Amino acid sequence: MKIKEAKFLISNTDIEKCPPPDKPEYAFTGRSNVGKSSLINMLVNRKSLAKISGKPGKTRLINHFLINNDWYLVDLPGYGYAAVGQDERSKWKELIEKYVLYRQNLHCLFLLIDSRHKPQIVDLGFMQWLGVNQIPFCIVFTKIDKLKKGELRKKIDGYQEKMLENWECMPPYFTTSVRTREGRDEILNYIFNINRGIS
Ligand code: GTP
Ligand code: MG
C-alpha cells in the first residue's frame, strides 16, 4: 500500500471525542518506550507525525491520524511505565481498555513488544484480556536491529512457547526495525488486505 497522505486529526483522553467511527481503524499499543510512535512514523513515511522520545511516557493521549483519507491510525499511550506512579498507570490502563472496548471500527490492535525482552507479565496479561474480550490483535516485535538474526529467532521461539501455554496458536506477528525499515511492507499489506476485506 502506498501512503499518499497522513494527517493528524485529534488528541484526547475522552473516547467520545474520537473521530466518528466511519472508517477502519488500527491502533498501536504496548509498554512505554517500546517504539509505538517511531513505528507509526516509519509506516507513514514521516519523521515526526507522532511524537517520539528517549524518555518513556511521551505519548499520554489517544492520537488519531487519517491515512489516505481511507483509514485511521491511532497512537496510544504506553502502559506499565513504572515512573509515573500507580495512580497514573492505572488511569492509562483504564483509558486504553475503554478505548479498545468502545471503538467498534477497531479492526486490529497491534501490540508492540521489545524483541530483546523476555515475555513480560503485563503484556501476557493484556493479551489474555484481549482474548477474553475477543479483540483482534497482532504482535509486533520491535527494535530487531538490536539483535542478531539467531538471537531474534530464539526470542520469538521463546515467546511462542510461553504463549502456547495459554493459547492454541500464536496470533499473527511481525518483526520490525525503524532503522532498517524491516516489517513496514508486511504491516501495511496486512492493513491493506483487511481494508479490502481480503483477510
Ligand atoms: P511512549 O510514547 O513513551 O510510550 O513510547 P513509544 O512506545 O511511543 O516509543 P518511541 O517511539 O517514543 O521510541 C522510544 C525510543 O526507542 C526512542 O529513543 C526511539 O528512537 C527508539 N526506537 C524506536 N524504535 C526503534 C527501532 O526499531 N530500533 C532502535 N534501535 N531504536 C528504536
Ligand atoms: Mg509514543
Side-chain angles (χ1 to χ4, degrees):
M1 170 171 31
K2 242 194 153 145
I3 303 295
K4 288 174 264 170
E5 194 185 26
K7 261 199 299 205
F8 167 73
L9 290 184
I10 190 168
S11 291
N12 63 75
T13 52
D14 182 350
I15 48 172
E16 286 173 22
K17 291 193 185 132
C18 289
D22 55 356
K23 294 180 175 59
E25 182 154 309
Y26 301 86
F28 291 77
T29 190
R31 292 198 304 140
S32 284
N33 214 38
V34 70
K36 299 175 290 296
S37 304
S38 306
L39 181 67
I40 287 171
N41 288 333
M42 172 177 90
L43 290 175
V44 302
N45 278 331
R46 292 274 293 272
K47 271 212 181 95
S48 50
L49 188 66
K51 300 281 174 293
I52 294 174
S53 165
K55 251 175 53 193
K58 176 72 182 171
T59 310
R60 297 183 171 219
L61 301 164
I62 298 171
N63 301 290
H64 270 82
F65 304 95
L66 177 62
I67 313 299
N68 293 351
N69 218 10
D70 191 31
W71 52 281
Y72 296 123
L73 194 158
V74 176
D75 189 14
L76 292 171
Y79 54 79
Y81 172 42
V84 297
Q86 182 66 43
D87 256 17
E88 198 159 1
R89 217 158 57 215
S90 37
K91 242 195 272 163
W92 289 0
K93 184 165 176 277
E94 200 181 302
L95 177 67
I96 294 168
E97 290 183 352
K98 235 163 121 183
Y99 160 82
V100 165
L101 294 177
Y102 178 81
R103 280 306 265 184
Q104 284 166 0
N105 59 330
L106 180 65
H107 280 40
C108 182
L109 184 72
F110 290 90
L111 176 60
L112 275 61
I113 306 263
D114 189 321
S115 59
R116 295 168 297 174
H117 298 164
K118 283 198 197 119
Q120 308 276 314
I121 288 169
V122 65
D123 292 322
L124 296 170
F126 186 53
M127 286 190 243
Q128 204 65 34
W129 180 87
L130 291 171
V132 168
N133 289 286
Q134 300 188 314
I135 308 294
F137 72 97
C138 293
I139 297 179
V140 181
F141 293 103
T142 63
K143 308 192 186 183
I144 62 167
D145 54 282
K146 298 208 178 209
L147 287 175
K148 299 202 180 85
K149 276 251 149 54
E151 285 172 339
L152 175 64
R153 192 63 261 163
K154 260 195 222 151
K155 288 280 180 193
I156 294 175
D157 288 348
Y159 216 96
Q160 181 153 353
E161 204 173 294
K162 184 77 195 161
M163 281 199 74
L164 294 181
E165 289 174 10
N166 288 307
W167 294 80
E168 268 175 37
C169 58
M170 268 291 263
Y173 72 85
F174 301 91
T175 54
T176 62
S177 162
V178 302
R179 296 270 158 87
T180 64
R181 299 174 70 76
E182 276 169 272
R184 179 175 185 271
D185 292 348
E186 288 79 0
I187 291 179
L188 288 178
N189 280 340
Y190 189 78
I191 292 175
F192 178 81
N193 286 338
I194 297 179
N195 285 348
R196 296 293 160 264
I198 294 167
S199 60

